[in-house]
Amino acid sequence: MSLKIFNTLTRSKEEFIPLVPGEAKMYVCGVTVYDVCHIGHARSAVVFDVIYRYLLYKGYNVTYVRNYTDVDDKIIQKANEEGISCEKVAEQYMKAFDADMSSLGILRPTVEPRATVHIPQMIALVKALESAGYAYDTSESVYFSVRRFQPYGRLSGQDMDQMESGVRVEPGEHKADPLDFALWKKSKPGEPRWDSPWGDGRPGWHIECSAMSSFYLGQPFDIHGGGKDLIFPHHENEIAQSEAAVGKPFVRYWIHNGWVTREGAKMSKSLGNFTTIRDALKIYHPEVLRFFFLSSNYRNDFDFTDRGARDARLGLERMARALADIDEATENTPEESHPSTAAEKDLLDFVEALPLRFEQAMDDDFNTALVLSYLHEAVRRVNRFMSEEEITPSARWVLRRARETLVGLGNVMGLFQQDPGLFLEDLRLKDKEAISMDEAEIVRLVAERSDARTRKDWKTADAIRNRLLERGIVLEDVSQGTTWRRKLDA
């Protein structure tokens, strides 16, 4: 089986053939560290985390680079507003980002470079562009001459005349052409600055990623990723300056994830329609968010709704409960066995076919939604088996095989990182934090209802259930008794 990736550059799925057999080199644009991140950033992080995990699963030696932009107009503005240095602003929000990523179970990339550490590489790249005739110096910036780079627009599918109609020249800019972009910005009072052949100043945004990616991965390299909002102008400009400077292709495969939206509008800080990662994690378990994001094709826009998050929680909770039930049923499992009934053989056959189906789905441009449907199907089969079959030693062995397969494949998605019992307990803790009713009172009412059900006093049992439901508490009758959880709004 071969992995196929939808390449934004060619607008088609292509077989992934790395430049060096057995190796995969990937660069993903990181965040500008001027504020805490929202769940749009979380979705992008989860998408590329799963791609990273799957490349590792496929056996590639992966070099994964994700940068921090720690010099930028927004950082300067934040520093001026708070009366602190740009360095302090960047450090504060880099730490916040790292904490958010850790909470979401995101693997650390191989390298996490900071833009300000790579100023020499950026200056060298600008000098190369100047020598090649693609850069020109003005009194306020060094610019890239876009019209000199004829292939400009391949990635976004636009021609230069279309682009120019939507470009506005800012006051004080001395561009020769509205399409040209800044490679090096000359210093203004109160801004961070570095020495350069063009005077003190700081790098333009686009030059950062070209310099850092080629420094760590060479040129060309295999995969460049980011949100689709970066296709133009950021990634278009990266291609232009990198290829103009070096004279050879920049990147083989371009991967872009869709936006997170609220009621159809892109989630962004400028629109004020965002939810920060830390606020979302007060309500949802991090694996619930991950499960929710993976339920949709990564290239599509993703509408974040409370109902969708609720459904994701219920689906993941059902899986964790099945794993917990297997753990309870397979305490004394023989090390070696084989199925002894037709039902055991059917379940084992399904389980042993699951890794192949998983790979076929993931090889088709990382089809995580299909993978989750396979996991749901596996859990349904396990639950039916446990409810209908005698749990003999051979049945325990089959169930243990099922658990190992489910958890192993789930781990590639970043799921099932916790013991299922601890995961379910974490959900209960979040429920307790979100309700006003005392837990002891809930437990007492659940016990009263159980007693009423034993006496077949259905009227009293239903009255207690409805009373708790009015307080936002849902009861669920399972084989081990009755559990409760917070009602998640539709």
Side-chain angles (χ1 to χ4, degrees), residues 142-310:
V142 179
Y143 286 104
F144 182 89
S145 182
V146 166
R147 290 188 188 275
R148 288 220 55 204
F149 186 74
Q150 289 301 311
Y152 194 82
R154 285 177 304 167
L155 188 68
S156 59
Q158 304 178 73
D159 63 44
M160 294 191 200
D161 292 334
Q162 285 177 319
M163 296 176 202
E164 185 174 1
S165 66
V167 172
R168 182 169 67 91
V169 178
E170 297 294 334
E173 290 185 328
H174 301 143
K175 299 179 180 182
D177 188 296
L179 288 178
D180 296 348
F181 58 89
L183 300 166
W184 185 263
K185 298 181 177 183
K186 297 183 180 179
S187 61
K188 296 176 183 176
E191 291 188 351
R193 62 187 63 196
W194 289 266
D195 184 36
S196 84
W198 314 280
D200 289 354
R202 60 188 174 91
W205 175 37
H206 311 297
I207 202 73
E208 296 177 7
C209 288
S210 285
M212 287 185 284
S213 62
S214 61
F215 180 74
Y216 289 101
L217 302 175
Q219 184 176 329
F221 59 91
D222 297 308
I223 296 170
H224 195 317
K228 74 174 186 179
D229 53 318
L230 298 179
I231 294 174
F232 183 84
H234 183 51
H235 289 164
E236 197 78 75
N237 291 351
E238 279 190 65
I239 291 172
Q241 65 201 7
S242 297
E243 296 189 359
V246 179
K248 56 185 177 181
F250 178 40
V251 173
R252 303 279 304 288
Y253 305 88
W254 287 88
I255 301 177
H256 292 94
N257 63 275
W259 292 323
V260 172
T261 61
R262 281 277 197 189
E263 298 177 354
K266 178 180 180 288
M267 185 176 292
S268 69
K269 289 173 180 172
S270 60
L271 293 175
N273 64 342
F274 67 95
T275 300
T276 65
I277 294 173
R278 56 187 55 184
D279 283 345
L281 291 176
K282 291 175 185 175
I283 304 170
Y284 307 110
H285 189 284
E287 285 198 20
V288 169
L289 287 178
R290 180 182 279 268
F291 192 91
F292 188 19
F293 293 142
L294 298 178
S295 66
S296 174
N297 184 289
Y298 75 89
R299 288 187 282 117
N300 294 340
D301 290 345
F302 183 90
D303 201 37
F304 192 96
T305 64
D306 291 332
R307 183 188 183 101
R310 178 204 66 181

Side-chain angles (χ1 to χ4, degrees), residues 331-348:
E331 250 184 300
N332 301 306
T333 302
E335 288 188 13
E336 294 292 337
S337 186
H338 60 273
S340 59
T341 68
E344 291 172 9
K345 186 178 186 306
D346 285 347
L347 181 58
L348 184 62

